[in-house]
Every structure is written in structure tokens, then in C-alpha cells.
């Protein structure tokens, strides 16, 4: 079943309920806010301090960073993480099957987006919610000139206690340590978070988050996302974020699927790319 309600002025949210899960998706931002498999606890972190105001990003769930990840490479006045998480998407399709609910949202270039990023595009996001959660992000160049993008599905995973979390799958992978002067490093052993963590791992590997305080694993698999970005703001940055509780860093870890600066995607006119994220829960 899919129901629509207004969560805040100009903010429609789709609530999905089927035999396998419940989920919530905001048309503003094209953002999955919640995913809870039947009989399990919430998989995604959503800040209770998040604003639901147009022009501001929703803090949590799975923000869509497009057509750039991070700060704009030339113009710092442009929004961090691109335009689409600040845009209301169009509902293109709702399809319910025996084992999932699929909702497809679309975002097309407009005079407003062209004023900030001078290209024509169509981006669609297929969200398939069942016992797993799959997102398929399709980017199409609908214009007459090539363009390049960086992007990410900026997934906020909910954890019971960050101090009892480890992430496998990144062993021996090279990463750029954004929190340490962008130094180039190599992951040794499983990743554990003991301070501000902001790393771009250069690889397609799947990751498994072990949330031992909740006795569960969350597996993040991806296709055509050449980077994995891991972020926890820790104490000082949590205090500095207005839409994030001072202690929220204990309850979340971002494992983001992206194509960051080192892996820009070029799309010639009429070209498309489909990138995929799958989140699976284990015990
Ligand atoms: O997770 C990567 C990152 O770029 C971090 O550096 C941090 O800025 C985070 O995204 C959140 O960004 P936001 O613009 O949503 O506050």
C-alpha cells in the first residue's frame, strides 16, 4: 500500500507498507527517509532536528547528491552536494508486486536549475522496497552538449552504538582522508570510528557494517558507484550542525555510494548511466 501525506508545507511524503517492510519517501529531495523491514528496527538514521523547509536539505535517510558531490568544484556559493536534494521530484510510477513496492521519481532540468548548472538532464530514481532496499539512479543527458557529474547516494545508516560498530569490505582499499588534509592512505583491517571520520574509499567493494550492540549487520552493495564515502561528524562537528543532535553521532554512520571527484561521469547528449545501491539486513 502507498499513501501520500503532507509532512510540512510543500513537502509530500509517500508511506509504503507491504508484507516485507515499511518505508517513507519524501518527494522533496527524492529522499528515502525511512526503511524498516518487518520485525526489524529502523535501518536509516533521520535527525529529529532536521528541518523540513524548502531550500534546506533534510538531514538523514538517503540524500541524492547530484550533479556534484561535496562543494561545487569552482563556485563555493552553489549548494553543497548539488541541486537535486533541494528540489521537489515528480512521481512517475508506483508498482506493487508480491515481494516489493517500487516507486519511481523523476527530476528534469528547469530554467532554475539551468541558471545554476547550464545543462539539460533527466534523473530518475527507482526505489524498490521489500525485504531489501534497492535504489537505481539513472542520469540522462537530454541536452545538446556533453556534461560531467559527480554524485552520491548519501546513506545515513542507523546504529545502536557507534563505539561498537565495525565495517568490513574496505580492507587494503586506498582512501582520501578528508578529515586529515585529504591525505592519501590505505585501510588497515576493519574500519572502526573513534573520532571525526570523513573518507573517500576508491573502490566498488561491498561493505558490511557490524552493529554489535543491535546484533545485526547491514550490507551495502553497489554497481557503477566507484567510491564509498564514510562519514561520522563526531563530537565537535555534531555540535556545530544545527539540524543534528549533539549526541546523534553515536547513532549513525554514513556509508555513501558515490562517484566522487576522482571518478567524474561524462555523459554525451542522449547518453544515460544507471547506478545501483542495495541495502540488505542480516542478523
Ligand atoms: O559525507 C561526506 C560529506 O561531504 C561530509 O564532508 C559532510 O559535509 C557530509 O557530507 C554532510 O554534508 P551536508 O552538506 O549534508 O551537511
Amino acid at each position: 500500500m502507498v499513501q501520500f501525506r503532507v509532512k510540512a508545507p510543500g513537502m509530500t511524503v509517500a508511506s509504503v507498507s507491504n508484507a516485507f517492510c515499511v518505508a517513507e519517501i519524501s518527494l522533496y529531495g527524492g529522499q528515502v527517509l525511512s526503511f524498516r523491514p518487518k520485525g526489524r528496527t529502523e535501518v536509516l538514521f533521520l535527525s529529529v532536528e532536521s528541518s523540513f523547509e524548502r531550500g534546506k536539505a533534510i538531514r538523514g535517510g538517503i540524500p541524492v547528491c547530484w550533479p556534484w558531490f561535496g562543494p561545487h568544484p569552482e563556485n563555493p556559493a552553489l549548494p553543497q552536494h548539488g541541486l537535486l536534494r533541494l528540489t521537489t521530484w515528480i512521481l512517475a510510477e508506483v508498482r506493487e508486486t508480491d515481494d516489493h513496492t517500487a516507486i519511481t521519481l523523476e527530476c528534469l532540468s528547469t530554467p532554475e536549475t539551468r541558471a545554476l548548472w547550464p545543462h539539460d538532464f533527466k534523473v530518475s530514481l527507482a526505489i524498490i522496497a521489500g525485504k531489501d532496499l534497492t535504489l537505481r539512479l539513472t542520469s540522462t543527458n537530454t541536452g545538446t552538449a556533453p556534461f560531467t557529474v559527480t554524485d552520491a547516494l548519501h546513506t545515513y545508516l542507523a546504529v545502536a552504538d557507534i563505539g561498537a560498530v565495525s565495517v568490513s569490505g574496505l580492507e587494503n582499499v586506498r582512501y582520501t582522508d578528508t578529515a586529515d588534509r585529504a591525505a592519501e592512505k590505505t585501510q588497515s583491517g576493519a574500519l572502526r570510528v573513534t573520532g571525526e571520520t570523513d573518507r573517500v574509499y576508491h573502490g566498488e567493494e561491498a561493505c558490511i557494517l557490524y552493529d554489535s550492540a543491535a546484533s545485526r549487520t547491514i550490507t551495502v552493495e553497489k554497481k557503477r558507484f566507484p567510491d564509498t564515502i564514510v562519514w561520522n561528524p563526531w563530537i565537535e562537528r555534531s555540535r556545530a550542525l544545527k539540524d543534528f543532535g549533539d549526541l546523534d553521532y553515536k547513532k549513525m554512520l554514513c556509508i555513501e555510494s558515490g562517484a566522487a571527484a576522482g571518478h567524474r561521469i561524462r555523459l554525451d547528449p542522449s547518453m544515460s548511466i544507471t547506478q545501483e545501491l542495495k541495502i540488505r539486513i542480516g542478523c
Side-chain angles (χ1 to χ4, degrees):
M1 175 174 65
V2 180
Q3 294 179 306
F4 295 87
R5 61 182 171 80
V6 176
K7 185 173 180 85
M11 300 244 168
T12 300
V13 167
S15 295
V16 171
S17 176
N18 61 40
F20 298 90
C21 73
V22 292
E24 281 214 331
I25 300 159
S26 167
L27 297 193
Y28 175 73
Q31 196 155 334
V32 180
L33 303 179
S34 167
F35 172 64
R36 190 162 49 80
K38 277 285 186 288
R40 308 305 296 261
T41 56
E42 177 60 52
V43 175
L44 302 177
F45 168 86
L46 181 66
S47 169
V48 294
E49 323 245 344
S50 177
S51 59
F52 282 89
E53 288 171 49
R54 303 169 70 78
K56 289 187 182 175
I58 299 169
R59 175 72 64 190
I62 307 179
V64 178
C65 306
W66 200 98
W68 59 84
F69 171 77
H72 185 277
E74 281 98 41
N75 180 356
L78 291 174
Q80 161 110 320
H81 291 325
L83 309 174
L84 300 198
R85 65 175 185 166
L86 304 175
T87 302
T88 297
W89 294 50
I90 301 156
L91 178 68
E93 182 187 41
V94 176
R95 186 165 37 83
E96 298 193 89
T97 72
D98 294 347
D99 64 359
H100 67 260
T101 301
I103 290 184
T104 301
L105 305 178
E106 289 178 355
C107 203
L108 301 169
S109 48
T110 64
E112 290 75 22
T113 64
R114 277 192 292 271
L116 298 174
W117 192 66
H119 298 287
D120 283 316
F121 62 84
K122 172 182 172 184
V123 175
S124 69
L125 182 67
I127 301 154
I128 298 116
K131 68 180 176 49
D132 307 331
L133 177 65
T134 299
L135 275 67
R136 289 195 189 103
L137 183 69
T138 299
S139 308
T140 302
N141 181 343
T142 57
T144 56
F147 60 60
T148 59
V149 300
T150 55
D151 66 5
L153 293 175
H154 194 298
T155 308
Y156 285 73
L157 297 175
V159 300
D161 173 5
I162 192 66
V165 160
S166 65
V167 179
S168 70
L170 296 169
E171 293 83 351
N172 306 315
V173 176
R174 284 186 315 103
Y175 67 90
T176 303
D177 191 342
T178 309
D180 181 13
R181 296 165 289 108
E184 293 298 327
K185 302 178 181 176
T186 299
Q187 180 62 37
S188 169
L191 166 67
R192 287 178 175 76
V193 178
T194 56
E196 182 183 352
T197 304
D198 195 351
R199 302 176 181 181
V200 181
Y201 287 86
H202 310 299
E204 289 263 16
E205 295 81 3
C207 298
I208 302 177
L209 181 150
Y210 294 91
D211 185 1
S212 53
S215 306
R216 78 171 175 188
T217 62
I218 302 176
T219 300
V220 178
E221 297 172 335
K222 54 194 183 131
K223 289 178 185 162
R224 288 177 292 284
F225 281 117
D227 296 302
T228 297
I229 301 98
V230 178
W231 180 59
N232 184 294
W234 209 245
I235 300 169
E236 293 313 313
R237 279 195 74 181
S238 296
R239 287 187 183 138
L241 292 168
K242 292 187 179 54
D243 57 358
F244 194 81
D246 288 356
L247 301 180
D248 277 350
Y249 70 94
K250 295 184 176 183
K251 299 290 183 190
M252 55 70 69
L253 182 64
C254 282
I255 296 185
E256 307 156 32
S257 304
H263 292 107
R264 305 178 68 76
I265 298 166
R266 175 186 163 116
L267 290 177
D268 290 333
S270 306
M271 270 184 71
S272 288
I273 182 172
T274 295
Q275 299 164 285
E276 182 178 287
L277 161 67
K278 183 191 284 280
I279 297 172
R280 285 190 294 111
I281 306 307
C283 51

